[in-house]
Amino acid sequence: MVKKAANKNIKTGKVVKKSTAVKTKDGARESLAVELRGLIPKLNTEGLAFLVKQARVHIYNMQVDELNKAARAVNTASAKAAGITRAAKKPAGENLRITGSESGSSYYIYYQNDNIVFSRDEMRQLLKMVNAEGTDVGIQTRVFNWFNTERRDVFSLIPMVDKFDPRLKTIIALLKKNFRLKA
């Protein structure tokens, strides 16, 4: 793939056109690193501090993702050793549903033969999270963290391991499909 980039030479201010072949992720990474190095002289201290903070947050998130992958690998290996396969499990969405009361003042998430009640404000907060801009993983992270800080009782009813749990994905899909935020 050939990528053409138009960059200004920092010293002369003239536009320099380059044609570079980007064949690997390392090539794309190097291209981005060159661009970032070129932008640094234009930033003030506040801008640099912001970028450093964002880089640290991103590095931390990458480390957490790696730990989560390792934990899932261990769980998968343990399940295989115990003779449990995915085919033997029921699909997560089979026993999950969300309904609202007739008055609209409360909402119920049903899982298996039990339910948990949410207020209208809590449902509104959930809907804002699931309908906000972002990747699926970002939305899953926000909702999982919200449950973890605001409604830990959800975990006693619905055993969700982490933000990648299929039950969490099902809850988010049900919210997106069946409920809308009023302006």
Side-chain angles (χ1 to χ4, degrees), residues 84-150:
I84 300 171
T85 63
R86 283 196 174 264
K89 295 179 183 177
K90 286 187 174 181
E94 192 171 300
N95 295 316
L96 265 168
R97 63 187 170 94
I98 304 172
T99 62
S101 66
E102 287 184 24
S103 67
S105 62
S106 56
Y107 297 84
Y108 303 89
I109 295 181
Y110 290 90
Y111 180 71
Q112 299 195 351
N113 294 323
D114 210 347
N115 68 63
I116 190 162
V117 180
F118 288 85
S119 70
R120 182 184 324 191
D121 289 336
E122 290 172 323
M123 185 59 70
R124 194 173 286 132
Q125 289 175 23
L126 283 169
L127 289 172
K128 283 180 183 177
M129 285 183 271
V130 301
N131 290 307
E133 298 264 338
T135 63
D136 289 344
V137 173
I139 292 168
Q140 290 163 210
T141 301
R142 285 192 295 266
V143 173
F144 186 85
N145 289 342
W146 186 84
F147 283 151
N148 197 33
T149 57
E150 302 295 327

Side-chain angles (χ1 to χ4, degrees), residues 7-164:
N7 295 320
K8 282 191 177 181
N9 184 315
I10 296 170
K11 293 179 182 175
T12 64
K14 294 181 181 178
V15 174
V16 179
K17 293 188 178 187
K18 293 182 183 179
S19 178
T20 59
V22 180
K23 296 180 182 175
T24 65
K25 287 185 180 180
D26 289 339
R29 184 180 188 280
E30 184 58 33
S31 175
L32 290 170
V34 167
E35 182 178 356
L36 183 59
R37 281 192 291 271
L39 294 172
I40 289 173
K42 297 177 183 178
L43 294 172
N44 62 14
T45 304
E46 184 179 298
L48 283 173
F50 173 78
L51 288 178
V52 167
K53 182 178 178 182
Q54 289 299 312
R56 288 180 181 147
V57 168
H58 186 69
I59 290 167
Y60 173 80
N61 288 341
M62 289 186 332
Q63 291 169 339
V64 168
D65 286 343
E66 287 301 315
L67 289 172
N68 286 337
K69 285 178 189 174
R72 280 194 306 279
V74 168
N75 289 341
T76 301
S78 298
K80 284 182 181 178
I84 300 171
T85 63
R86 283 196 174 264
K89 295 179 183 177
K90 286 187 174 181
E94 192 171 300
N95 295 316
L96 265 168
R97 63 187 170 94
I98 304 172
T99 62
S101 66
E102 287 184 24
S103 67
S105 62
S106 56
Y107 297 84
Y108 303 89
I109 295 181
Y110 290 90
Y111 180 71
Q112 299 195 351
N113 294 323
D114 210 347
N115 68 63
I116 190 162
V117 180
F118 288 85
S119 70
R120 182 184 324 191
D121 289 336
E122 290 172 323
M123 185 59 70
R124 194 173 286 132
Q125 289 175 23
L126 283 169
L127 289 172
K128 283 180 183 177
M129 285 183 271
V130 301
N131 290 307
E133 298 264 338
T135 63
D136 289 344
V137 173
I139 292 168
Q140 290 163 210
T141 301
R142 285 192 295 266
V143 173
F144 186 85
N145 289 342
W146 186 84
F147 283 151
N148 197 33
T149 57
E150 302 295 327
R151 292 296 304 266
R152 289 192 61 80
D153 57 326
V154 169
F155 299 121
S156 63
L157 174 66
I158 307 168
M160 291 182 277
V161 178
D162 58 19
K163 65 184 177 186
F164 300 105

Side-chain angles (χ1 to χ4, degrees), residues 98 123 126-127 130 170-179:
I98 304 172
M123 185 59 70
L126 283 169
L127 289 172
V130 301
T170 301
I171 290 171
I172 291 169
L174 288 170
L175 288 168
K176 283 183 175 184
K177 179 181 177 184
N178 299 316
F179 297 93

